[in-house]
Amino acid sequence: MLSFCGQRLPLGFSSSISIQAVDYQSQASLATAFKGQDAIIEAFNPAAAEYQKKVVDAAIDAGVQQLITPDFSSDTFNEYAEGLIIFEPKIKAQKHLEMRAREGKLAWTAIVVGAFYDWAGIRKRAFWVDGRQCSITIFGSGDQKTSISSIDRVGAATVMVLKNTEEFKNRPAYFADWSVSTNELVEILKSLRPTIKWNVNRVPVATLFAEAKQMWDEDTVKGVKERLSTKAYQYLGTYGVFEEQNRYGGDFSGKVEKGWEKDVGELREGFHNLLEEFET
Ligand SMILES: NC(=O)c1ccc[n+]([C@@H]2O[C@H](COP(=O)([O-])OP(=O)(O)OC[C@H]3O[C@@H](n4cnc5c(N)ncnc54)[C@H](OP(=O)(O)O)[C@@H]3O)[C@@H](O)[C@H]2O)c1
């Protein structure tokens, strides 16, 4: 379902797509929009986890069979995930979903893909590689492997789950194109563009959690409600991905669906194409 709070259709959506405005606070409004749908894919902003209970209950009211949870990111099913604080609303919402799913009326799948390395990581310059400034950020030692996906493969994973609902029923499904360390990425980038001088920024991670927790607590005292754009949120998320011992499952290569990971040659080609985007 797509909704734009009564606003006009953004360019790029086909006219064959039905768009409905809903009130996220209203279970009845959501149920009306869900009526007649087989499946729901929740591509919510993580800040919307607070609405998940209503979405789940409305989906059951409407007779929806399958729900893809609002994940598409880090492994919130990792046994230590709650300790990162930022995932608390999502984990709470997931518990409600699993409780309702036990009634047998609705099945769910969580699609865990790691960072979108092309769209968020490089095009939006949100993570490590800044193709415009020719800089790379290394968090901690840089030897920690991180599971990453391209945005089109996230779409392909979603289609695969929807086509094989029994196989993926009521569990997290892990899809990553590669699990690669930042030091390996640096070597790939240097070999792809040997004449470019890449600036390497080093950010220590050992103290990141303590700093982030302090900022989080200060925000709590200040009454900050919108956490997503805070420094504390970003620091905690980054720490979770790059913690040196893989405590929070930034590298989930051991859980990736069989046959899904690509080889390093394809990773090189993917990065080559992304770098070309900056050069044209
Ligand atoms: N793995 C990665 O690197 C990565 C990076 C970015 C995003 N993601 C994933 O992609 C999905 C979408 O995330 P996004 O950040 O890209 O979302 P977004 O574009 O900021 O928001 C998507 C929609 O969420 C709805 N929404 C409902 N309540 C909201 C609230 N309280 N705050 C903000 N939005 C709210 C809005 O729908 P309406 O317009 O109908 O109100 C909005 O259009 C999430 O599952 C996220 O985990 C992953």
Side-chain angles (χ1 to χ4, degrees):
M1 183 201 63
L2 296 164
S3 81
F4 295 92
C5 302
Q7 291 171 26
R8 286 165 65 87
L9 260 176
L11 289 174
F13 283 112
S14 153
S15 58
S16 64
I17 292 175
S18 154
I19 295 187
Q20 300 188 40
V22 295
D23 173 3
Y24 292 122
Q25 313 270 10
S26 158
Q27 191 172 319
S29 163
L30 287 160
T32 303
F34 294 160
K35 203 90 200 149
Q37 304 300 322
D38 297 321
I40 295 171
I41 302 169
E42 295 183 280
F44 274 151
N45 180 290
E50 60 179 310
Y51 306 124
Q52 174 71 338
K53 187 173 176 300
K54 282 206 166 61
V55 171
V56 169
D57 294 344
I60 292 170
D61 289 350
V64 173
Q65 302 288 306
Q66 172 76 8
L67 187 129
I68 309 284
T69 59
D71 280 277
F72 303 105
S73 189
S74 301
D75 183 9
T76 58
F77 294 82
N78 171 283
E79 62 178 313
Y80 300 109
E82 206 158 1
L84 278 179
I85 312 170
I86 56 174
F87 297 134
E88 268 178 25
K90 164 69 180 56
I91 292 168
K92 206 168 134 202
Q94 179 64 24
K95 282 185 182 146
H96 179 75
L97 169 60
E98 289 179 26
M99 191 259 290
R100 295 274 354 233
R102 280 194 284 276
E103 295 166 22
K105 293 180 190 146
L106 176 73
W108 62 272
T109 305
I111 298 179
V112 179
V113 295
F116 302 163
Y117 77 89
D118 52 353
W119 179 74
I122 296 184
R123 292 197 186 101
K124 286 185 77 181
R125 294 185 274 170
F127 301 131
W128 328 256
V129 180
D130 186 333
R132 238 168 238 120
Q133 304 292 329
C134 296
S135 69
I136 307 161
T137 303
I138 299 181
F139 296 96
S141 68
D143 289 329
Q144 320 90 308
K145 285 195 187 287
T146 306
S147 301
I148 56 176
S149 295
S150 64
I151 196 98
D152 63 336
R153 293 267 286 172
V154 174
T158 307
V159 170
M160 185 165 161
V161 168
L162 287 172
K163 283 186 167 169
N164 301 278
T165 48
E166 270 309 305
E167 186 185 341
F168 295 105
K169 190 175 176 181
N170 296 342
R171 69 172 177 96
Y174 294 83
F175 299 93
D177 290 357
W178 299 282
S179 295
V180 65
S181 76
T182 314
N183 288 335
E184 288 168 329
L185 279 185
V186 170
E187 286 313 308
I188 289 171
L189 290 165
K190 282 182 175 169
S191 69
L192 286 172
R193 294 293 183 275
T195 54
I196 289 178
K197 186 181 170 337
W198 290 93
N199 300 308
V200 176
N201 309 314
R202 289 196 169 270
V203 176
V205 283
T207 54
L208 208 57
F209 183 82
E211 287 170 35
K213 175 77 173 61
Q214 190 181 341
M215 285 191 275
W216 185 275
D217 292 343
E218 284 167 8
D219 286 347
T220 305
V221 172
K222 284 185 220 154
V224 173
K225 291 266 181 296
E226 180 44 74
R227 301 276 199 173
L228 202 60
S229 55
T230 64
K231 233 178 184 177
Y233 192 101
Q234 288 164 17
Y235 278 29
L236 286 163
T238 303
Y239 178 74
V241 173
F242 292 103
E243 197 275 334
E244 297 281 355
Q245 307 305 320
N246 197 31
R247 181 179 173 82
Y248 302 101
D251 171 13
F252 52 79
S253 47
K255 299 178 180 174
V256 170
E257 297 299 321
K258 231 169 160 236
W260 193 260
E261 278 194 309
K262 294 184 169 187
D263 65 35
V264 77
E266 289 168 294
L267 177 60
R268 283 177 60 85
E269 195 185 320
F271 272 85
H272 169 77
N273 295 339
L274 283 162
L275 290 175
E276 279 202 331
E277 282 183 24
F278 287 103
E279 291 161 357
T280 51

